[in-house]
């Protein structure tokens, strides 16, 4: 198989080759890592916004061009911040849905196990 076809068909990792996808625990861990990374990016952008705002105030009416440039950068950072907010809310929703489905799966497994035990008890009667 050529390198290009391997690339487009996807080599896949060892974890995804086993059952067709990552385990719920792996997915939850990766979602949490992504949440942490985006939170750090949020903090960074908030400090940059504050810096640009103070720079715009410093330049004030003395250097309008520099003040406008600082305000434009501030607006760009605010746009990035709002995008990150949206992404974070989507990730949180996904993580909660994954946790709920994992819990439901475990409950169903345990209920099936209990049903088998009940059948065994009834057979012995």
């Amino acid at each position: 198989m050529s390198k290009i076809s391997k690339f487009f068909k996807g080599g896949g990792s060892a974890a995804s080759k086993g059952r067709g996808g990552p385990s719920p625990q792996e997915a939850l861990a990766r979602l949490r890592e992504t949440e942490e990374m985006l939170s750090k990016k949020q903090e960074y952008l908030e400090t940059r916004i504050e810096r640009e705002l103070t720079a715009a105030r410093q330049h004030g009416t003395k250097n309008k061009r520099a003040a406008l440039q600082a305000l434009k950068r501030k607006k760009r950072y605010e746009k990035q911040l709002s995008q990150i907010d949206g992404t974070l809310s989507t990730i949180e929703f996904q993580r909660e849905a994954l946790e709920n489905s994992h819990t439901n799966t475990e409950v169903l497994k345990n209920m099936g196990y209990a049903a088998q035990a009940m059948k065994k008890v009834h057979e012995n009667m």
Side-chain angles (χ1 to χ4, degrees):
M1 191 183 292
S2 71
K3 290 181 183 179
I4 294 174
S5 62
K6 283 183 185 178
F7 177 75
F8 285 110
K9 288 186 179 179
S13 63
S16 64
K17 283 185 179 179
R19 294 182 316 185
S23 71
Q25 292 84 5
E26 291 171 342
L28 285 171
R30 291 188 79 178
L31 285 173
R32 286 189 184 111
E33 288 174 9
T34 306
E35 275 183 300
E36 289 175 20
M37 184 258 311
L38 288 174
S39 296
K40 288 179 185 176
K41 179 88 175 180
Q42 263 184 330
E43 292 173 12
Y44 171 75
L45 285 173
E46 288 170 353
T47 57
R48 291 296 302 249
I49 288 170
E50 289 299 319
R51 265 193 243 155
E52 295 301 332
L53 195 55
T54 56
R57 285 185 183 139
Q58 278 181 339
H59 295 295
T61 56
K62 297 174 191 168
N63 190 351
K64 281 190 176 184
R65 175 177 256 167
L68 284 174
Q69 289 298 320
L71 289 174
K72 285 180 183 179
R73 284 191 298 271
K74 177 187 161 278
K75 191 171 184 176
R76 212 173 51 236
Y77 293 143
E78 286 174 341
K79 187 175 180 182
Q80 288 178 4
L81 193 60
S82 68
Q83 288 175 340
I84 288 174
D85 286 338
T87 305
L88 267 175
S89 64
T90 303
I91 287 175
E92 288 172 5
F93 177 75
Q94 251 187 339
R95 183 179 46 80
E96 290 169 0
L98 186 58
E99 287 171 346
N100 289 337
S101 64
H102 181 64
T103 302
N104 291 340
T105 303
E106 290 299 316
V107 167
L108 286 174
K109 283 181 186 177
N110 290 335
M111 288 175 76
Y113 185 71
Q116 288 176 354
M118 290 293 284
K119 283 181 185 177
K120 202 171 197 179
V121 167
H122 282 30
E123 286 175 1
N124 292 337
M125 289 179 98

